Amino acid sequence: MPTINEILQTMDYGPAPESTKEAQAWLDQHERRFGLFIDNAWSPAADTFASTNPADGKELAQITQAGAQDVERAVDAARRAQPGWVALGGHGRARVLYALARLLQKHARLFAVIETLDNGKTIRETRDADLPLAARHFYHHAGWAQLQSEEFADYRAVGVVGQIVPWNFPLLMLAWKIAPALAAGNTVVFKPAEFTSLSALLFAEICVQAGVPAGVVNIVTGDGRVGEAMVKHPGIDKLAFTGSTEVGRLIRQATAGSGKKLSLELGGKSPFIVFEDADLDAAVEGLVDSIWFNQGQVCCAGSRLLVQESVEQRFLAKLRTRMDNLRLGAPTDKSMDIGALVDPIQRQRIEGLVEAARLEGCTIYQPACELPANGSWFPPTLITGASTSAGIAQTEVFGPVLVAMSFRTPVEAVQLANNTVYGLAACVWSESISLALDVAPQIKAGVVWINTANQFDAACGFGGYRESGFGREGGKEGMFEYMTPLSEDARPAAPLVEAKAKVKASESNDPFAIDRTAKLYIGGKQARPDGAYSRAITGASGAFLADVGEGNRKDIRNAVEAAHKASGWAKATSHNRAQVLYYIAENLAVRADEFAARLAAMTGSKDPHKEVQASIERLFYYAAWADKYDGLAHQPPMHGITVALNEPVGVIGIICPNEAPLLGFISLVAPALALGNRVVAVPSEAYPLAATDLYQVLDTSDLPGGALNIVTGSADELARTLASHSDVDAVWRHDGSAEGCAEVERLSAASLKRTWVGGAKGRDWYDTKQAGGRAVLAHASQVKNVWIPYGV
Ligand code: NAD
């Protein structure tokens, strides 16, 4: 008689197909041809392309390739609708968002089947993950609409928003984009990915049922050309893009200088770290979810397994056994774990990357599973033996391919985890809470899951560090992406500063003249400029005041290096950072008269004491914030919490304004320092002496060397170097130079650094609303969401 185990091994699941009848009927009702949804009306289908079912290659419907004039019509409709949508008020918008959530739930099965047919992902996933999460997003954001006047009283909607998404979570990405945009009072032009337009078109139908006013949601379909037309359209105030880092970079370049607000959710190569004390069986299940959910076509997929050497072989053995049990096949079958890849192009790309790894000598493990004859399929794959720099260890595969490596110590685990240009997500598995919570903040990623994987919720922000993009979706932090501070509207049209002070090469040849050359300030020491050049600064009366060093590329490189070495500043307690800022204020106060005299001589200011006093107060202001800019503890619907930490951005290059040269400098440098960033500051090009006079103040204020570096010289040239430098994490430019700001945004695209630029407008540096507040602190920080489940 066979044993129970032998019987179990021969048993298999029978087919459990989900009916596609209603979905087919919906497609037939539209004669399998779809036009565009603009101003709550359907345009006739034109210039169409086929959308196919990736599981069998069969055509599902013809979709319209929108043209530039369609984008024009959609933007126009959105623009016309926006004032009315705002006027509806928070409660009015909340009711519409609530209706959308209800309708998504009511038609959940139809949406789930349409999504599975169009994308190839399993019905189990669309039914149990995509749909409930999409509905939850609309419910949650109905709440933000309701609370907007209270919680975001100092903000307004941005205006017309263009939203472009990829094909891996078509409806979920739509919900992530449209729900917050509408809640905040924006109207949208939304473009689904060309492979997966159907759920967005079905969503357009429920918009009408939910009472979304005409023009508030417009859906334009088609390929990247439609996206490009949106990116270039001057009538779009904000772009929200999710997709590849490559296209994200193009969008950053194309929007440089346009004043468009931008958020980019890009690719990843996320580490999945297993420590030796982890619950290995639970970690294997977490890993299955992490890398084989949606066939690995997940931006935050845990595609790099880092496992502690002592348990490596045991863990990999368990993993292989689990892989052997994964069921791959018809996505509409409720018992399948792995469905089809979105398109044969994707399969070819994955095959190419895996083949390259094989040629490099890696070991490839794939379970012996039979792939269906038609459609695009790829088996779950485990790659071992790759070097840390191998293509397969660095490139985002965006498929069911896991590369495994080992580490010995937690320090090495963190080093390996951060050995990537990306920074989207990470998983940490350990039964030691102190180890897990020690490692989580050290990982450069926007999301860290502890003893869990791939958790998402509307209340918790999601988004990347480094080349995984910037901006957050979800939660309160996500709402800010769709709003503009009212203080921005109050800014003066142009900088208040008068014509630039004259600068010229220093001419003094008198060997006995007292050398009044202000040097640079690098690593806590005064440094001669590398080029040994200086420029003469003349005062308001035209008289020579002093020479300042003419910083160049090498000086910026040295300053950035010094800033990186000062990593202790980021780890210092916020109390400690506050104390240093108070101390700087105190030392500045002692020398207030001297600084006032300098300001008067440079700028001709009639009331220079006012600026010095305001600068002292601004230092107090950010010292006060240093230990009060707390994160949040979200409570998503799980047994646990998600802690949203405000972390420093890293090394920030700051081009300071000419208006109020001391106050402007302090107003930008202090918030950056308060939150633990290290700074390379370029003081006012016209009036740099207020900053160079600070060296002695800094020397006596316990600021660690390298936390603040000051390089004087040409704002344009130094900004260019900072924006092109791959080790600078963010660049701010606020000197009123429209072209200079555009250049910073353009150059920042190479390493996708964050930027905050003021454009051609001025700013009242005395007004805390324009030059302070949480909006400034948000620029100086990035949010990391750490998920901590309880009791598992
Ligand atoms: P993709 O960048 O090729 O396309 C994304 C979208 O951009 C599509 O709608 C496409 O039509 C459009 N597009 C293409 N070229 C464009 C252009 N020049 N201008 C404007 N729009 C253009 O990405 P994909 O292959 O569809 O998706 C996979 C990528 O998306 C992966 O890198 C993945 O990591 C990323 N992704 C990121 C997240 C996240 O939240 N960070 C989520 C899902 C996917």
Side-chain angles (χ1 to χ4, degrees):
M1 229 171 75
T3 65
I4 186 78
N5 271 346
E6 283 163 348
I7 294 172
L8 283 174
Q9 271 169 16
T10 56
M11 279 172 73
D12 201 358
Y13 295 89
E18 173 74 36
S19 166
T20 64
K21 209 170 114 213
E22 282 78 9
Q24 302 292 358
W26 178 74
L27 291 169
D28 287 339
Q29 198 188 318
H30 286 270
E31 295 172 346
R32 296 184 183 257
R33 287 175 69 75
F34 289 87
L36 310 172
F37 183 74
I38 297 174
D39 223 359
N40 275 16
W42 290 97
S43 67
D47 191 12
T48 59
F49 61 93
S51 193
T52 53
N53 179 346
D56 58 16
K58 289 193 185 138
E59 180 176 320
L60 291 166
Q62 287 286 323
I63 310 290
T64 292
Q65 169 72 32
Q69 69 287 10
D70 298 312
V71 171
E72 188 69 49
R73 265 195 325 120
V75 174
D76 181 53
R79 177 64 63 203
R80 278 185 282 109
Q82 209 251 332
W85 183 237
V86 170
L88 194 57
H91 178 60
R93 289 198 298 281
R95 289 174 73 105
V96 173
L97 287 163
Y98 177 75
L100 284 168
R102 297 269 302 179
L103 285 164
L104 273 176
Q105 275 184 320
K106 185 169 155 192
H107 300 296
R109 199 48 70 95
L110 174 60
F111 270 106
V113 175
I114 286 286
E115 197 80 316
T116 288
L117 291 176
D118 205 15
N119 169 280
K121 60 168 74 186
T122 64
I123 187 74
R124 218 157 46 88
E125 289 180 11
T126 54
R127 184 194 61 194
D128 299 346
D130 299 55
L131 259 296
L133 275 171
R136 160 108 178 110
H137 242 78
F138 281 96
Y139 279 126
H140 180 81
H141 286 91
W144 281 128
Q146 181 67 47
L147 299 176
Q148 188 181 10
S149 57
E150 228 173 282
E151 287 290 301
F152 305 108
D154 293 335
Y155 290 79
R156 62 161 171 83
V158 181
V160 174
V161 177
Q163 304 180 313
I164 302 171
V165 301
W167 41 260
N168 57 345
F169 292 92
L171 184 72
L172 188 56
M173 290 294 111
L174 174 149
W176 281 26
K177 295 273 180 294
I178 292 186
L182 296 195
N186 303 279
T187 51
V188 305
V189 176
F190 178 88
K191 189 193 96 63
E194 53 272 41
F195 292 127
T196 52
S197 312
L198 292 176
S199 54
L201 296 167
L202 177 57
F203 179 80
E205 285 192 2
I206 71 159
C207 282
V208 177
Q209 289 175 39
V212 176
V216 169
V217 173
N218 304 279
I219 308 224
V220 288
T221 49
D223 61 17
R225 288 169 292 170
V226 186
E228 259 186 272
M230 289 166 66
V231 168
K232 291 198 185 120
H233 200 294
I236 286 184
D237 304 303
K238 177 201 157 86
L239 279 161
F241 172 79
T242 298
S244 59
T245 294
E246 188 191 348
V247 174
R249 216 170 252 139
L250 290 175
I251 294 179
R252 170 69 291 186
Q253 279 162 353
T255 54
S258 67
K260 282 188 175 63
K261 202 173 158 112
L262 181 63
S263 50
L264 298 174
E265 303 282 355
L266 310 175
K269 186 81 181 175
S270 299
F272 187 103
I273 309 172
V274 181
F275 286 101
E276 60 189 0
D277 69 346
D279 174 341
L280 297 189
D281 293 313
V284 165
E285 288 312 308
L287 186 53
V288 166
D289 234 9
S290 195
I291 182 63
W292 291 306
F293 182 73
N294 200 12
Q295 296 67 253
Q297 302 167 128
V298 182
C299 52
C300 52
S303 51
R304 280 189 301 142
L305 168 65
L306 305 176
V307 54
Q308 199 153 13
E309 203 178 71
S310 48
V311 291
E312 183 188 9
Q313 291 315 322
R314 199 145 59 88
F315 187 80
L316 290 179
K318 281 177 187 282
L319 182 62
R320 284 189 208 99
T321 307
R322 184 67 180 86
M323 287 171 76
D324 293 344
N325 290 325
L326 289 171
R327 305 187 80 239
L328 177 149
T332 46
D333 186 328
K334 286 175 246 177
S335 62
M336 288 300 161
D337 299 308
I338 296 189
L341 298 174
V342 74
D343 192 82
I345 290 183
Q346 185 71 359
R347 190 196 56 223
Q348 283 158 21
R349 187 172 169 273
I350 298 169
E351 268 167 6
L353 288 163
V354 172
E355 257 335 283
R358 198 190 302 275
L359 292 176
E360 279 185 36
C362 297
T363 306
I364 318 282
Y365 180 77
Q366 291 172 330
C369 61
E370 209 174 298
L371 301 183
N374 299 319
S376 30
W377 305 88
F378 200 85
T381 302
L382 167 67
I383 298 184
T384 47
S387 73
T388 51
S389 59
I392 199 72
Q394 293 292 335
T395 312
E396 181 187 42
V397 177
F398 220 57
V401 179
L402 174 70
V403 57
M405 288 171 214
S406 66
F407 64 87
R408 289 190 180 161
T409 62
V411 172
E412 198 189 345
V414 170
Q415 271 167 3
L416 284 171
N418 289 335
N419 181 21
T420 165
V421 292
Y422 297 111
L424 196 50
C427 288
V428 179
W429 289 76
S430 165
E431 289 298 288
S432 158
I433 187 79
S434 71
L435 174 63
L437 291 180
D438 179 44
V439 166
Q442 297 182 60
I443 297 176
K444 295 197 169 88
V447 183
V448 179
W449 290 295
I450 292 178
N451 293 336
T452 183
N454 267 353
Q455 299 276 347
F456 309 96
D457 184 59
C460 307
F462 181 89
Y465 280 28
R466 308 204 271 190
E467 294 191 21
S468 290
F470 42 77
R472 293 291 177 268
E473 297 192 293
K476 194 163 190 181
E477 56 255 44
M479 282 295 288
F480 288 112
E481 301 291 337
Y482 287 99
M483 293 185 294
T484 301
L486 293 175
S487 56
E488 283 297 302
D489 298 335
R491 287 175 56 199
L496 302 170
V497 72
E498 287 168 18
K500 274 189 177 182
K502 271 201 210 114
V503 292
K504 54 180 183 170
S506 188
E507 287 162 355
S508 169
N509 289 325
D510 179 356
F512 299 106
I514 297 170
D515 184 5
R516 284 187 289 171
T517 305
K519 300 193 180 75
L520 315 180
Y521 190 68
I522 295 176
K525 294 196 183 74
Q526 297 198 31
R528 283 181 197 288
D530 168 71
Y533 284 105
S534 57
R535 60 167 70 193
I537 302 297
T538 49
S541 63
F544 170 78
L545 292 178
D547 289 318
V548 292
E550 184 74 15
N552 66 11
R553 298 169 69 86
K554 179 80 173 29
D555 297 310
I556 290 287
R557 281 205 293 271
N558 292 342
V560 172
E561 204 180 310
H564 275 282
K565 280 195 189 136
S567 57
W569 183 246
K571 295 187 197 115
T573 64
S574 50
H575 170 77
N576 179 227
R577 291 197 298 263
Q579 296 308 304
V580 172
L581 290 178
Y582 283 127
Y583 206 6
I584 296 174
E586 196 183 319
N587 286 326
L588 180 57
V590 170
R591 298 175 55 184
D593 290 343
E594 201 183 304
F595 273 85
R598 181 67 108 181
L599 286 170
M602 274 196 306
T603 66
S605 164
K606 299 277 176 295
D607 189 6
H609 275 285
K610 182 179 163 211
E611 185 174 342
V612 179
Q613 286 314 317
S615 303
I616 293 166
E617 185 175 339
R618 195 58 46 87
L619 283 161
F620 263 66
Y621 177 85
Y622 282 115
W625 265 119
D627 63 353
K628 291 170 198 65
Y629 190 58
D630 294 329
L632 292 167
H634 298 302
Q635 291 176 294
M638 71 162 187
H639 191 53
I641 50 163
T642 304
V643 182
L645 302 168
N646 288 324
E647 296 194 336
V649 179
V651 173
I652 305 184
I654 304 181
I655 317 302
C656 300
N658 291 309
E659 307 156 285
L662 179 64
L663 178 60
F665 179 93
I666 298 285
S667 298
L668 292 168
V669 167
L673 289 177
L675 299 194
N677 299 285
R678 285 139 294 148
V679 174
V680 177
V682 177
S684 156
E685 180 173 331
Y687 311 119
L689 303 175
T692 57
D693 288 350
L694 278 173
Y695 299 168
Q696 284 159 2
V697 170
L698 300 175
D699 284 342
T700 50
S701 303
D702 292 346
L703 184 72
L708 170 58
N709 306 278
I710 300 174
V711 180
T712 48
S714 152
D716 283 338
E717 191 187 324
L718 301 176
R720 208 168 285 144
T721 309
L722 283 165
S724 321
H725 198 301
S726 58
D727 275 341
V728 171
D729 301 289
V731 177
W732 301 352
R733 184 161 186 175
H734 292 269
D735 62 349
S737 162
E739 184 35 49
C741 290
E743 188 179 36
V744 161
E745 289 187 330
R746 215 165 27 244
L747 293 173
S748 72
S751 62
L752 282 164
K753 53 175 73 69
R754 289 174 56 183
T755 55
W756 175 33
V757 298
K761 281 175 127 188
R763 194 176 292 269
D764 179 356
W765 295 96
Y766 290 89
D767 178 359
T768 345
K769 287 222 149 98
Q770 284 183 42
R774 285 182 174 270
V776 174
L777 292 160
H779 286 293
S781 57
Q782 50 192 347
V783 185
K784 171 185 282 175
N785 276 273
V786 182
W787 291 67
I788 313 167
Y790 303 149
V792 283

